[in-house]
Amino acid sequence: MEKQSADVIIIGGGLAGLVAAYEATQRGRSVLLLDQEGEQSLGGQAWWSLGGLFMIDTPEQRRMGIRDSIDLARVDWMGSAQFDRAEDANPRAVADAYLDFAAGEMRSWLHSLGFRWFPVVGWAERGGSHADGHGNSVPRFHITWGAGTGVVKPFMKLAYTARDAGRLTFGFRHRVAGLKTENGRITGVHGDILADSDKERGQSTNRDVTGGFEYAAENVIVATGGIGGNHDMVRKYWPTDRLGAAPIKMVAGVPDYVDGQMQQVAEAAGAAVINADRMWHYTEGLQNWDPIWPNHGIRILPGPSSMWFDANGDRMPAPCLPGFDTLSTLKRIMQTGHDHSWFVLTQKIIEKEFALSGSEQNPDLVSGKWGEVIKARLGKGATDAVEAFKKHGEDFVVADDLETLVTGMNELTPQAPLSLDHIRGQIQARDAQIDNPFSKDAQITAIRGARNYRGDKLIRTAKPHRILDPKNGPLIAVRLNILTRKSLGGLHTDITGQVLRPDGTAFEGLFAAGEVSGFGGGGYHGYNALEGTFLGGCIFSGRKAGQSA
């Protein structure tokens, strides 16, 4: 039985854990960082992200002609969060503090650590309803050069520097099974030492136990991520009253080690979990043709032009448009009794508008080289990653005419056959709206509005065109799956990351950061996320916990 002690034990070597480790070691605290995976997976889930950060009134925004302010961002956030529960007091306080951070020192602090950003700010989760409702009024999605790896690597470097200075010790393949308490206070952790694994980052590893450990600490920080890799747990918390029955089929947007087990360990020890029914799953998931982890799904980051049909072949109404309102769209899809939907588009649209989530799908952004980006984004054809999915992905149908396309769609989903005439009529009606610079079609209006933003016009929104005109082809249909991703609830904390008990009192010695705490407070997003707020929440809550533990 291994025994040692540290001032602070951090459970989880993802982004939130690394940020917390940096802040704690900066204060002179000795830190022991434990993770059930090997060193090759340091950085956790954030490594695979696109690297987007929600920031407010930045130089990147101003250079793109975007006028943003903290007041506008607060209206957007609170209109999206829709806080309506007594236990939302701390989540709301954390949200307010994050907005101050995102409009204040966030960019300069990250810049001092080596962060740089792609100059075109993305416009994610646009809402599409009322001005005081859900969605981003302006583009705020700042993609870090290097994508997810560019977010994680600076904090990995700082962790290794702290290790070399003797302030931080790693404990890889250490799975925490329980929290030690004394007189109601957390005093340490215990668990299993797992056999080494040479599997590559993200792949499934063994759970063979080779020994045990028992470590003491003044404070423990839980930073172990969410539940998206544990579909049984997702279904357990699924909000059927708001979203309908949970999907039978889901693809996994995260590795299987994102299993929610440490949240359950903390809850069993006496920690409060709130807002567990709030979650964020994407509706544009693809089965990865070249998977890294089990049931590996990839999300399409769509521009606004693809026509979106439900499983019955009915066109989705606003705000259920590509890139506008994720949870409204998820609810609309589940109302059909099926768990898939369809994009129908053209080659011109896929070339301009399709991007894929994940650092591994965006080598040009990971490279941080303008030449690579120009070649991939502005050259002939879609990016190599998108073209590979079009060629190899099981969810894609490509055809020169609509009849052949719909036949291929029905071969993929014979349980929900589509009517060729019904699909054709809806596309023809949409195409008839293209001939004028004005339209009564909400999606066409949204496309024209998007092209008023120079960033979208440059690299993200195709010029409006007729989908059934052969010169714009071939036609492409994409079957979309529900993709599990983020927990918007979790361990209840205050603004410092201090975990609370169910009665609202402090659980002394226990802190939490990142997704396991709903990215701060137990759910600082409320019901809806504005994107860039997941990595941003990990950084913010990890920083607070590391400054306090």
Side-chain angles (χ1 to χ4, degrees), residues 50 61 148 307-308 352 398 437 454 537:
L50 189 60
Q61 287 177 300
M307 292 190 72
W308 205 335
K352 189 86 167 185
V398 182
R454 71 178 72 137

Side-chain angles (χ1 to χ4, degrees), residues 120-166:
V120 178
V121 183
W123 195 358
E125 202 63 18
R126 306 180 189 203
S129 183
H130 298 292
D132 58 354
H134 171 57
N136 282 298
S137 298
V138 300
R140 296 190 177 102
F141 192 75
H142 296 71
I143 298 175
T144 307
W145 274 120
T149 65
V151 173
V152 170
K153 281 184 175 180
F155 291 105
M156 289 175 61
K157 181 179 178 181
L158 292 167
Y160 285 125
T161 298
R163 179 201 61 184
D164 294 344

Side-chain angles (χ1 to χ4, degrees), residues 126-380:
R126 306 180 189 203
S129 183
H130 298 292
D132 58 354
H134 171 57
N136 282 298
S137 298
V138 300
R140 296 190 177 102
F141 192 75
H142 296 71
I143 298 175
T144 307
W145 274 120
T149 65
V151 173
V152 170
K153 281 184 175 180
F155 291 105
M156 289 175 61
K157 181 179 178 181
L158 292 167
Y160 285 125
T161 298
R163 179 201 61 184
D164 294 344
R167 299 192 300 272
L168 185 149
T169 302
F170 289 111
F172 296 110
R173 301 297 285 163
H174 281 56
R175 180 180 61 193
V176 174
L179 299 172
K180 297 165 56 182
T181 60
E182 185 175 326
N183 297 323
R185 179 186 176 87
I186 296 296
T187 58
V189 301
H190 65 85
D192 303 316
I193 301 173
L194 305 179
D196 289 340
S197 173
D198 60 0
K199 292 293 185 68
E200 294 184 7
R201 179 188 292 272
Q203 294 181 345
S204 297
T205 58
N206 71 73
R207 292 294 179 261
D208 301 332
V209 177
T210 63
F213 63 86
E214 186 176 300
Y215 301 145
E218 181 181 331
N219 290 310
V220 172
I221 300 174
V222 180
T224 49
I227 67 173
N230 184 342
H231 288 190
D232 289 338
M233 201 166 174
V234 169
R235 291 188 176 94
K236 174 184 175 182
Y237 291 129
W238 188 272
T240 55
D241 58 328
R242 289 188 287 112
L243 298 180
I248 296 173
K249 177 187 177 184
M250 298 183 284
V251 293
V254 295
D256 58 2
Y257 58 70
V258 186
D259 57 15
Q261 296 306 302
M262 198 59 220
Q263 175 181 306
Q264 294 179 319
V265 168
E267 187 175 19
V273 172
I274 62 172
N275 299 320
D277 64 314
R278 292 177 181 169
M279 50 184 67
W280 193 253
H281 305 304
Y282 291 111
T283 52
E284 312 98 335
L286 306 174
Q287 191 77 48
N288 195 345
W289 67 273
D290 186 20
I292 296 171
W293 53 80
N295 194 27
H296 188 172
I298 292 292
R299 183 197 176 200
I300 298 171
L301 305 172
S305 300
S306 298
M307 292 190 72
W308 205 335
F309 296 91
D310 68 21
N312 298 319
D314 295 323
R315 188 180 178 196
M316 305 258 263
C320 304
L321 305 174
F324 277 74
D325 190 331
T326 293
L327 286 194
S328 290
T329 305
L330 178 56
K331 180 179 180 179
R332 174 67 176 76
I333 290 169
M334 298 315 299
Q335 287 173 345
T336 67
H338 301 281
D339 47 27
H340 71 277
S341 60
W342 292 97
F343 276 169
V344 173
L345 59 148
T346 65
Q347 180 65 23
K348 283 187 176 180
I349 292 173
I350 202 171
E351 289 181 2
K352 189 86 167 185
E353 298 194 5
F354 266 37
L356 300 173
S357 64
S359 56
E360 81 282 10
Q361 302 295 332
N362 295 277
D364 56 327
L365 295 174
V366 172
S367 75
K369 297 178 180 178
W370 258 113
E372 294 296 318
V373 172
I374 292 171
K375 178 181 176 182
R377 310 281 160 168
L378 299 181
K380 183 176 176 57

Side-chain angles (χ1 to χ4, degrees), residues 501-520:
R501 294 182 179 275
D503 64 1
T505 60
F507 195 163
E508 295 295 336
L510 188 61
F511 293 78
E515 190 173 351
V516 74
S517 65
F519 301 93

